[in-house]
PDB file of all heavy atoms in Angstrom:
ATOM      1  N   PHE G   1       5.494   5.943  -8.907  1.00 94.00           N
ATOM      2  CA  PHE G   1       4.954   4.916  -9.802  1.00 94.00           C
ATOM      3  C   PHE G   1       3.756   5.501 -10.537  1.00 94.00           C
ATOM      4  O   PHE G   1       3.129   6.456 -10.081  1.00 94.00           O
ATOM      5  CB  PHE G   1       4.554   3.656  -9.028  1.00 94.00           C
ATOM      6  CG  PHE G   1       3.616   3.906  -7.876  1.00 94.00           C
ATOM      7  CD1 PHE G   1       2.240   3.871  -8.054  1.00 94.00           C
ATOM      8  CD2 PHE G   1       4.118   4.189  -6.614  1.00 94.00           C
ATOM      9  CE1 PHE G   1       1.375   4.113  -6.986  1.00 94.00           C
ATOM     10  CE2 PHE G   1       3.266   4.422  -5.536  1.00 94.00           C
ATOM     11  CZ  PHE G   1       1.895   4.385  -5.733  1.00 94.00           C
ATOM     12  N   ASP G   2       3.476   4.920 -11.686  1.00 94.00           N
ATOM     13  CA  ASP G   2       2.301   5.313 -12.461  1.00 94.00           C
ATOM     14  C   ASP G   2       1.084   4.567 -11.932  1.00 94.00           C
ATOM     15  O   ASP G   2       1.197   3.430 -11.455  1.00 94.00           O
ATOM     16  CB  ASP G   2       2.486   4.952 -13.939  1.00 94.00           C
ATOM     17  CG  ASP G   2       3.597   5.754 -14.591  1.00 94.00           C
ATOM     18  OD1 ASP G   2       3.764   6.932 -14.227  1.00 94.00           O
ATOM     19  OD2 ASP G   2       4.297   5.184 -15.457  1.00 94.00           O
ATOM     20  N   LYS G   3      -0.060   5.191 -12.049  1.00 93.00           N
ATOM     21  CA  LYS G   3      -1.291   4.559 -11.585  1.00 93.00           C
ATOM     22  C   LYS G   3      -1.501   3.201 -12.272  1.00 93.00           C
ATOM     23  O   LYS G   3      -2.001   2.264 -11.665  1.00 93.00           O
ATOM     24  CB  LYS G   3      -2.477   5.489 -11.839  1.00 93.00           C
ATOM     25  CG  LYS G   3      -3.734   5.074 -11.148  1.00 93.00           C
ATOM     26  CD  LYS G   3      -4.804   6.131 -11.236  1.00 93.00           C
ATOM     27  CE  LYS G   3      -5.984   5.705 -10.399  1.00 93.00           C
ATOM     28  NZ  LYS G   3      -7.001   6.750 -10.322  1.00 93.00           N
ATOM     29  N   ALA G   4      -1.065   3.101 -13.519  1.00 94.00           N
ATOM     30  CA  ALA G   4      -1.213   1.844 -14.263  1.00 94.00           C
ATOM     31  C   ALA G   4      -0.378   0.718 -13.651  1.00 94.00           C
ATOM     32  O   ALA G   4      -0.697  -0.456 -13.833  1.00 94.00           O
ATOM     33  CB  ALA G   4      -0.816   2.058 -15.726  1.00 94.00           C
ATOM     34  N   ASP G   5       0.693   1.067 -12.916  1.00 94.00           N
ATOM     35  CA  ASP G   5       1.564   0.067 -12.280  1.00 94.00           C
ATOM     36  C   ASP G   5       1.025  -0.424 -10.941  1.00 94.00           C
ATOM     37  O   ASP G   5       1.523  -1.399 -10.393  1.00 94.00           O
ATOM     38  CB  ASP G   5       2.962   0.651 -12.030  1.00 94.00           C
ATOM     39  CG  ASP G   5       3.704   0.936 -13.312  1.00 94.00           C
ATOM     40  OD1 ASP G   5       3.509   0.201 -14.293  1.00 94.00           O
ATOM     41  OD2 ASP G   5       4.492   1.897 -13.320  1.00 94.00           O
ATOM     42  N   MET G   6       0.030   0.249 -10.430  1.00 95.00           N
ATOM     43  CA  MET G   6      -0.450   0.017  -9.069  1.00 95.00           C
ATOM     44  C   MET G   6      -1.557  -1.040  -9.035  1.00 95.00           C
ATOM     45  O   MET G   6      -2.378  -1.124  -9.932  1.00 95.00           O
ATOM     46  CB  MET G   6      -0.982   1.360  -8.555  1.00 95.00           C
ATOM     47  CG  MET G   6      -1.671   1.344  -7.247  1.00 95.00           C
ATOM     48  SD  MET G   6      -2.313   2.998  -6.876  1.00 95.00           S
ATOM     49  CE  MET G   6      -3.972   2.842  -7.475  1.00 95.00           C
ATOM     50  N   SER G   7      -1.554  -1.825  -7.965  1.00 96.00           N
ATOM     51  CA  SER G   7      -2.625  -2.787  -7.709  1.00 96.00           C
ATOM     52  C   SER G   7      -3.184  -2.495  -6.322  1.00 96.00           C
ATOM     53  O   SER G   7      -2.467  -2.026  -5.438  1.00 96.00           O
ATOM     54  CB  SER G   7      -2.070  -4.212  -7.755  1.00 96.00           C
ATOM     55  OG  SER G   7      -3.069  -5.136  -7.351  1.00 96.00           O
ATOM     56  N   THR G   8      -4.456  -2.773  -6.127  1.00 94.00           N
ATOM     57  CA  THR G   8      -5.056  -2.584  -4.806  1.00 94.00           C
ATOM     58  C   THR G   8      -5.112  -3.891  -4.024  1.00 94.00           C
ATOM     59  O   THR G   8      -5.685  -3.941  -2.945  1.00 94.00           O
ATOM     60  CB  THR G   8      -6.475  -1.989  -4.918  1.00 94.00           C
ATOM     61  OG1 THR G   8      -7.263  -2.831  -5.760  1.00 94.00           O
ATOM     62  CG2 THR G   8      -6.415  -0.577  -5.488  1.00 94.00           C
ATOM     63  N   SER G   9      -4.488  -4.927  -4.585  1.00 93.00           N
ATOM     64  CA  SER G   9      -4.438  -6.207  -3.863  1.00 93.00           C
ATOM     65  C   SER G   9      -3.048  -6.821  -4.024  1.00 93.00           C
ATOM     66  O   SER G   9      -2.374  -6.607  -5.020  1.00 93.00           O
ATOM     67  CB  SER G   9      -5.524  -7.155  -4.367  1.00 93.00           C
ATOM     68  OG  SER G   9      -5.342  -7.410  -5.743  1.00 93.00           O
ATOM     69  N   PRO G  10      -2.635  -7.585  -3.009  1.00 94.00           N
ATOM     70  CA  PRO G  10      -1.295  -8.179  -3.056  1.00 94.00           C
ATOM     71  C   PRO G  10      -1.211  -9.292  -4.102  1.00 94.00           C
ATOM     72  O   PRO G  10      -2.169 -10.035  -4.307  1.00 94.00           O
ATOM     73  CB  PRO G  10      -1.108  -8.731  -1.647  1.00 94.00           C
ATOM     74  CG  PRO G  10      -2.483  -8.937  -1.122  1.00 94.00           C
ATOM     75  CD  PRO G  10      -3.361  -7.926  -1.794  1.00 94.00           C
ATOM     76  N   GLU G  11      -0.080  -9.353  -4.754  1.00 93.00           N
ATOM     77  CA  GLU G  11       0.210 -10.414  -5.719  1.00 93.00           C
ATOM     78  C   GLU G  11       1.699 -10.669  -5.687  1.00 93.00           C
ATOM     79  O   GLU G  11       2.478  -9.819  -5.245  1.00 93.00           O
ATOM     80  CB  GLU G  11      -0.200  -9.984  -7.134  1.00 93.00           C
ATOM     81  CG  GLU G  11      -1.676  -9.699  -7.306  1.00 93.00           C
ATOM     82  CD  GLU G  11      -1.992  -9.119  -8.681  1.00 93.00           C
ATOM     83  OE1 GLU G  11      -1.285  -9.433  -9.651  1.00 93.00           O
ATOM     84  OE2 GLU G  11      -2.952  -8.337  -8.759  1.00 93.00           O
ATOM     85  N   MET G  12       2.119 -11.821  -6.187  1.00 95.00           N
ATOM     86  CA  MET G  12       3.544 -12.125  -6.281  1.00 95.00           C
ATOM     87  C   MET G  12       4.224 -11.055  -7.137  1.00 95.00           C
ATOM     88  O   MET G  12       3.658 -10.595  -8.129  1.00 95.00           O
ATOM     89  CB  MET G  12       3.759 -13.498  -6.926  1.00 95.00           C
ATOM     90  CG  MET G  12       3.427 -14.660  -6.008  1.00 95.00           C
ATOM     91  SD  MET G  12       4.525 -14.746  -4.586  1.00 95.00           S
ATOM     92  CE  MET G  12       6.000 -15.332  -5.352  1.00 95.00           C
ATOM     93  N   GLY G  13       5.414 -10.648  -6.704  1.00 96.00           N
ATOM     94  CA  GLY G  13       6.182  -9.672  -7.470  1.00 96.00           C
ATOM     95  C   GLY G  13       5.805  -8.232  -7.191  1.00 96.00           C
ATOM     96  O   GLY G  13       6.298  -7.324  -7.855  1.00 96.00           O
ATOM     97  N   LEU G  14       4.928  -8.019  -6.204  1.00 97.00           N
ATOM     98  CA  LEU G  14       4.508  -6.662  -5.842  1.00 97.00           C
ATOM     99  C   LEU G  14       4.927  -6.338  -4.416  1.00 97.00           C
ATOM    100  O   LEU G  14       4.987  -7.220  -3.556  1.00 97.00           O
ATOM    101  CB  LEU G  14       2.992  -6.498  -5.984  1.00 97.00           C
ATOM    102  CG  LEU G  14       2.396  -6.733  -7.374  1.00 97.00           C
ATOM    103  CD1 LEU G  14       0.886  -6.505  -7.335  1.00 97.00           C
ATOM    104  CD2 LEU G  14       3.039  -5.848  -8.419  1.00 97.00           C
ATOM    105  N   VAL G  15       5.204  -5.065  -4.178  1.00 97.00           N
ATOM    106  CA  VAL G  15       5.630  -4.578  -2.859  1.00 97.00           C
ATOM    107  C   VAL G  15       4.535  -3.660  -2.310  1.00 97.00           C
ATOM    108  O   VAL G  15       4.038  -2.787  -3.035  1.00 97.00           O
ATOM    109  CB  VAL G  15       6.959  -3.788  -2.984  1.00 97.00           C
ATOM    110  CG1 VAL G  15       7.352  -3.150  -1.663  1.00 97.00           C
ATOM    111  CG2 VAL G  15       8.067  -4.688  -3.514  1.00 97.00           C
ATOM    112  N   PRO G  16       4.151  -3.822  -1.041  1.00 98.00           N
ATOM    113  CA  PRO G  16       3.143  -2.920  -0.458  1.00 98.00           C
ATOM    114  C   PRO G  16       3.717  -1.526  -0.230  1.00 98.00           C
ATOM    115  O   PRO G  16       4.877  -1.368   0.155  1.00 98.00           O
ATOM    116  CB  PRO G  16       2.780  -3.591   0.860  1.00 98.00           C
ATOM    117  CG  PRO G  16       3.957  -4.424   1.214  1.00 98.00           C
ATOM    118  CD  PRO G  16       4.601  -4.836  -0.080  1.00 98.00           C
ATOM    119  N   ILE G  17       2.870  -0.527  -0.458  1.00 98.00           N
ATOM    120  CA  ILE G  17       3.260   0.876  -0.326  1.00 98.00           C
ATOM    121  C   ILE G  17       2.326   1.567   0.661  1.00 98.00           C
ATOM    122  O   ILE G  17       1.096   1.500   0.529  1.00 98.00           O
ATOM    123  CB  ILE G  17       3.180   1.594  -1.693  1.00 98.00           C
ATOM    124  CG1 ILE G  17       4.113   0.928  -2.718  1.00 98.00           C
ATOM    125  CG2 ILE G  17       3.472   3.084  -1.552  1.00 98.00           C
ATOM    126  CD1 ILE G  17       5.583   1.047  -2.426  1.00 98.00           C
ATOM    127  N   LEU G  18       2.927   2.213   1.648  1.00 97.00           N
ATOM    128  CA  LEU G  18       2.179   3.024   2.618  1.00 97.00           C
ATOM    129  C   LEU G  18       1.956   4.415   2.029  1.00 97.00           C
ATOM    130  O   LEU G  18       2.797   4.934   1.303  1.00 97.00           O
ATOM    131  CB  LEU G  18       2.991   3.185   3.900  1.00 97.00           C
ATOM    132  CG  LEU G  18       3.323   1.930   4.692  1.00 97.00           C
ATOM    133  CD1 LEU G  18       4.406   2.230   5.713  1.00 97.00           C
ATOM    134  CD2 LEU G  18       2.075   1.389   5.358  1.00 97.00           C
ATOM    135  N   ARG G  19       0.843   5.007   2.414  1.00 95.00           N
ATOM    136  CA  ARG G  19       0.554   6.390   2.034  1.00 95.00           C
ATOM    137  C   ARG G  19       0.285   7.192   3.297  1.00 95.00           C
ATOM    138  O   ARG G  19       0.294   6.649   4.403  1.00 95.00           O
ATOM    139  CB  ARG G  19      -0.631   6.404   1.078  1.00 95.00           C
ATOM    140  CG  ARG G  19      -0.292   5.611  -0.191  1.00 95.00           C
ATOM    141  CD  ARG G  19      -1.413   5.532  -1.157  1.00 95.00           C
ATOM    142  NE  ARG G  19      -2.461   4.637  -0.681  1.00 95.00           N
ATOM    143  CZ  ARG G  19      -3.612   4.465  -1.295  1.00 95.00           C
ATOM    144  NH1 ARG G  19      -3.883   5.118  -2.392  1.00 95.00           N
ATOM    145  NH2 ARG G  19      -4.511   3.643  -0.810  1.00 95.00           N
ATOM    146  N   ALA G  20       0.060   8.473   3.143  1.00 93.00           N
ATOM    147  CA  ALA G  20      -0.116   9.357   4.304  1.00 93.00           C
ATOM    148  C   ALA G  20      -1.195   8.841   5.252  1.00 93.00           C
ATOM    149  O   ALA G  20      -1.051   8.944   6.470  1.00 93.00           O
ATOM    150  CB  ALA G  20      -0.432  10.778   3.855  1.00 93.00           C
ATOM    151  N   GLY G  21      -2.259   8.276   4.727  1.00 93.00           N
ATOM    152  CA  GLY G  21      -3.341   7.764   5.563  1.00 93.00           C
ATOM    153  C   GLY G  21      -2.928   6.594   6.450  1.00 93.00           C
ATOM    154  O   GLY G  21      -3.609   6.286   7.421  1.00 93.00           O
ATOM    155  N   ASN G  22      -1.810   5.962   6.131  1.00 95.00           N
ATOM    156  CA  ASN G  22      -1.310   4.853   6.941  1.00 95.00           C
ATOM    157  C   ASN G  22      -0.448   5.328   8.105  1.00 95.00           C
ATOM    158  O   ASN G  22      -0.039   4.534   8.942  1.00 95.00           O
ATOM    159  CB  ASN G  22      -0.477   3.888   6.085  1.00 95.00           C
ATOM    160  CG  ASN G  22      -1.271   3.283   4.963  1.00 95.00           C
ATOM    161  OD1 ASN G  22      -1.191   3.739   3.834  1.00 95.00           O
ATOM    162  ND2 ASN G  22      -2.057   2.268   5.265  1.00 95.00           N
ATOM    163  N   ILE G  23      -0.144   6.622   8.118  1.00 95.00           N
ATOM    164  CA  ILE G  23       0.732   7.176   9.150  1.00 95.00           C
ATOM    165  C   ILE G  23      -0.126   7.837  10.218  1.00 95.00           C
ATOM    166  O   ILE G  23      -0.792   8.841   9.966  1.00 95.00           O
ATOM    167  CB  ILE G  23       1.726   8.202   8.554  1.00 95.00           C
ATOM    168  CG1 ILE G  23       2.568   7.549   7.451  1.00 95.00           C
ATOM    169  CG2 ILE G  23       2.614   8.786   9.650  1.00 95.00           C
ATOM    170  CD1 ILE G  23       3.432   8.528   6.678  1.00 95.00           C
ATOM    171  N   GLY G  24      -0.118   7.246  11.414  1.00 92.00           N
ATOM    172  CA  GLY G  24      -0.847   7.795  12.552  1.00 92.00           C
ATOM    173  C   GLY G  24       0.040   7.695  13.777  1.00 92.00           C
ATOM    174  O   GLY G  24       1.265   7.793  13.673  1.00 92.00           O
ATOM    175  N   GLN G  25      -0.545   7.465  14.928  1.00 91.00           N
ATOM    176  CA  GLN G  25       0.278   7.226  16.116  1.00 91.00           C
ATOM    177  C   GLN G  25       1.170   6.009  15.888  1.00 91.00           C
ATOM    178  O   GLN G  25       2.266   5.930  16.409  1.00 91.00           O
ATOM    179  CB  GLN G  25      -0.598   7.034  17.359  1.00 91.00           C
ATOM    180  CG  GLN G  25      -1.261   8.306  17.833  1.00 91.00           C
ATOM    181  CD  GLN G  25      -0.240   9.335  18.274  1.00 91.00           C
ATOM    182  OE1 GLN G  25       0.724   9.034  18.961  1.00 91.00           O
ATOM    183  NE2 GLN G  25      -0.441  10.575  17.854  1.00 91.00           N
ATOM    184  N   ARG G  26       0.674   5.074  15.100  1.00 94.00           N
ATOM    185  CA  ARG G  26       1.435   3.894  14.673  1.00 94.00           C
ATOM    186  C   ARG G  26       1.222   3.755  13.173  1.00 94.00           C
ATOM    187  O   ARG G  26       0.281   4.314  12.619  1.00 94.00           O
ATOM    188  CB  ARG G  26       0.924   2.649  15.384  1.00 94.00           C
ATOM    189  CG  ARG G  26       1.039   2.737  16.891  1.00 94.00           C
ATOM    190  CD  ARG G  26       0.670   1.423  17.470  1.00 94.00           C
ATOM    191  NE  ARG G  26       1.923   0.691  17.635  1.00 94.00           N
ATOM    192  CZ  ARG G  26       2.213   0.013  18.721  1.00 94.00           C
ATOM    193  NH1 ARG G  26       1.357  -0.057  19.695  1.00 94.00           N
ATOM    194  NH2 ARG G  26       3.354  -0.612  18.835  1.00 94.00           N
ATOM    195  N   LEU G  27       2.088   2.977  12.530  1.00 95.00           N
ATOM    196  CA  LEU G  27       1.899   2.684  11.114  1.00 95.00           C
ATOM    197  C   LEU G  27       0.812   1.631  10.943  1.00 95.00           C
ATOM    198  O   LEU G  27       0.809   0.627  11.648  1.00 95.00           O
ATOM    199  CB  LEU G  27       3.189   2.141  10.495  1.00 95.00           C
ATOM    200  CG  LEU G  27       4.242   3.140  10.103  1.00 95.00           C
ATOM    201  CD1 LEU G  27       5.438   2.425   9.486  1.00 95.00           C
ATOM    202  CD2 LEU G  27       3.712   4.186   9.155  1.00 95.00           C
ATOM    203  N   ASP G  28      -0.078   1.853  10.020  1.00 95.00           N
ATOM    204  CA  ASP G  28      -1.075   0.857   9.656  1.00 95.00           C
ATOM    205  C   ASP G  28      -0.553   0.152   8.407  1.00 95.00           C
ATOM    206  O   ASP G  28      -0.631   0.703   7.302  1.00 95.00           O
ATOM    207  CB  ASP G  28      -2.420   1.520   9.384  1.00 95.00           C
ATOM    208  CG  ASP G  28      -3.502   0.532   8.994  1.00 95.00           C
ATOM    209  OD1 ASP G  28      -3.201  -0.672   8.823  1.00 95.00           O
ATOM    210  OD2 ASP G  28      -4.653   0.970   8.840  1.00 95.00           O
ATOM    211  N   VAL G  29      -0.004  -1.036   8.581  1.00 95.00           N
ATOM    212  CA  VAL G  29       0.581  -1.784   7.470  1.00 95.00           C
ATOM    213  C   VAL G  29      -0.389  -2.842   6.935  1.00 95.00           C
ATOM    214  O   VAL G  29       0.013  -3.727   6.187  1.00 95.00           O
ATOM    215  CB  VAL G  29       1.940  -2.431   7.863  1.00 95.00           C
ATOM    216  CG1 VAL G  29       2.963  -1.372   8.204  1.00 95.00           C
ATOM    217  CG2 VAL G  29       1.763  -3.416   8.994  1.00 95.00           C
ATOM    218  N   ILE G  30      -1.662  -2.709   7.289  1.00 94.00           N
ATOM    219  CA  ILE G  30      -2.682  -3.681   6.883  1.00 94.00           C
ATOM    220  C   ILE G  30      -3.696  -3.054   5.917  1.00 94.00           C
ATOM    221  O   ILE G  30      -3.999  -3.623   4.879  1.00 94.00           O
ATOM    222  CB  ILE G  30      -3.453  -4.215   8.115  1.00 94.00           C
ATOM    223  CG1 ILE G  30      -2.505  -4.740   9.174  1.00 94.00           C
ATOM    224  CG2 ILE G  30      -4.506  -5.226   7.693  1.00 94.00           C
ATOM    225  CD1 ILE G  30      -2.011  -6.133   8.986  1.00 94.00           C
ATOM    226  N   ASN G  31      -4.226  -1.892   6.268  1.00 94.00           N
ATOM    227  CA  ASN G  31      -5.346  -1.297   5.542  1.00 94.00           C
ATOM    228  C   ASN G  31      -4.897  -0.250   4.524  1.00 94.00           C
ATOM    229  O   ASN G  31      -3.905   0.438   4.717  1.00 94.00           O
ATOM    230  CB  ASN G  31      -6.312  -0.640   6.540  1.00 94.00           C
ATOM    231  CG  ASN G  31      -6.846  -1.638   7.533  1.00 94.00           C
ATOM    232  OD1 ASN G  31      -7.513  -2.598   7.162  1.00 94.00           O
ATOM    233  ND2 ASN G  31      -6.529  -1.436   8.796  1.00 94.00           N
ATOM    234  N   ASP G  32      -5.690  -0.128   3.463  1.00 94.00           N
ATOM    235  CA  ASP G  32      -5.542   0.940   2.472  1.00 94.00           C
ATOM    236  C   ASP G  32      -4.143   1.011   1.853  1.00 94.00           C
ATOM    237  O   ASP G  32      -3.610   2.095   1.630  1.00 94.00           O
ATOM    238  CB  ASP G  32      -5.930   2.286   3.102  1.00 94.00           C
ATOM    239  CG  ASP G  32      -6.239   3.326   2.042  1.00 94.00           C
ATOM    240  OD1 ASP G  32      -6.724   2.943   0.959  1.00 94.00           O
ATOM    241  OD2 ASP G  32      -5.980   4.515   2.285  1.00 94.00           O
ATOM    242  N   LEU G  33      -3.542  -0.147   1.601  1.00 96.00           N
ATOM    243  CA  LEU G  33      -2.247  -0.196   0.935  1.00 96.00           C
ATOM    244  C   LEU G  33      -2.449  -0.275  -0.569  1.00 96.00           C
ATOM    245  O   LEU G  33      -3.518  -0.664  -1.047  1.00 96.00           O
ATOM    246  CB  LEU G  33      -1.461  -1.433   1.381  1.00 96.00           C
ATOM    247  CG  LEU G  33      -1.147  -1.563   2.870  1.00 96.00           C
ATOM    248  CD1 LEU G  33      -0.532  -2.927   3.147  1.00 96.00           C
ATOM    249  CD2 LEU G  33      -0.229  -0.451   3.323  1.00 96.00           C
ATOM    250  N   VAL G  34      -1.428   0.081  -1.306  1.00 97.00           N
ATOM    251  CA  VAL G  34      -1.363  -0.221  -2.727  1.00 97.00           C
ATOM    252  C   VAL G  34      -0.105  -1.045  -2.944  1.00 97.00           C
ATOM    253  O   VAL G  34       0.804  -1.036  -2.103  1.00 97.00           O
ATOM    254  CB  VAL G  34      -1.365   1.056  -3.600  1.00 97.00           C
ATOM    255  CG1 VAL G  34      -2.678   1.800  -3.454  1.00 97.00           C
ATOM    256  CG2 VAL G  34      -0.188   1.945  -3.303  1.00 97.00           C
ATOM    257  N   TRP G  35      -0.065  -1.776  -4.027  1.00 97.00           N
ATOM    258  CA  TRP G  35       1.089  -2.626  -4.331  1.00 97.00           C
ATOM    259  C   TRP G  35       1.644  -2.224  -5.687  1.00 97.00           C
ATOM    260  O   TRP G  35       0.874  -1.952  -6.628  1.00 97.00           O
ATOM    261  CB  TRP G  35       0.680  -4.101  -4.347  1.00 97.00           C
ATOM    262  CG  TRP G  35       0.498  -4.687  -2.985  1.00 97.00           C
ATOM    263  CD1 TRP G  35       1.416  -5.431  -2.297  1.00 97.00           C
ATOM    264  CD2 TRP G  35      -0.634  -4.587  -2.129  1.00 97.00           C
ATOM    265  NE1 TRP G  35       0.907  -5.794  -1.066  1.00 97.00           N
ATOM    266  CE2 TRP G  35      -0.351  -5.288  -0.948  1.00 97.00           C
ATOM    267  CE3 TRP G  35      -1.874  -3.963  -2.245  1.00 97.00           C
ATOM    268  CZ2 TRP G  35      -1.239  -5.391   0.105  1.00 97.00           C
ATOM    269  CZ3 TRP G  35      -2.767  -4.059  -1.203  1.00 97.00           C
ATOM    270  CH2 TRP G  35      -2.453  -4.768  -0.047  1.00 97.00           C
TER     271      TRP G  35
END
């Protein structure tokens, strides 16, 4: 995705995206997401 398409907060019509920082012993599906 382009940076212009990305949001740092959830909104209708957006899907959360995990990044490398969300991958640890467990997935962090709460913090530091982009939509």
Side-chain angles (χ1 to χ4, degrees):
F1 54 90
D2 294 325
K3 192 170 186 174
D5 293 327
M6 173 184 95
S7 173
T8 56
S9 60
E11 298 173 30
M12 286 295 287
L14 300 181
V15 174
I17 300 294
L18 297 166
R19 299 178 287 175
N22 299 99
I23 302 172
Q25 289 297 316
R26 300 187 94 136
L27 279 181
D28 180 354
V29 297
I30 307 277
N31 301 298
D32 199 31
L33 300 172
V34 295
W35 283 262

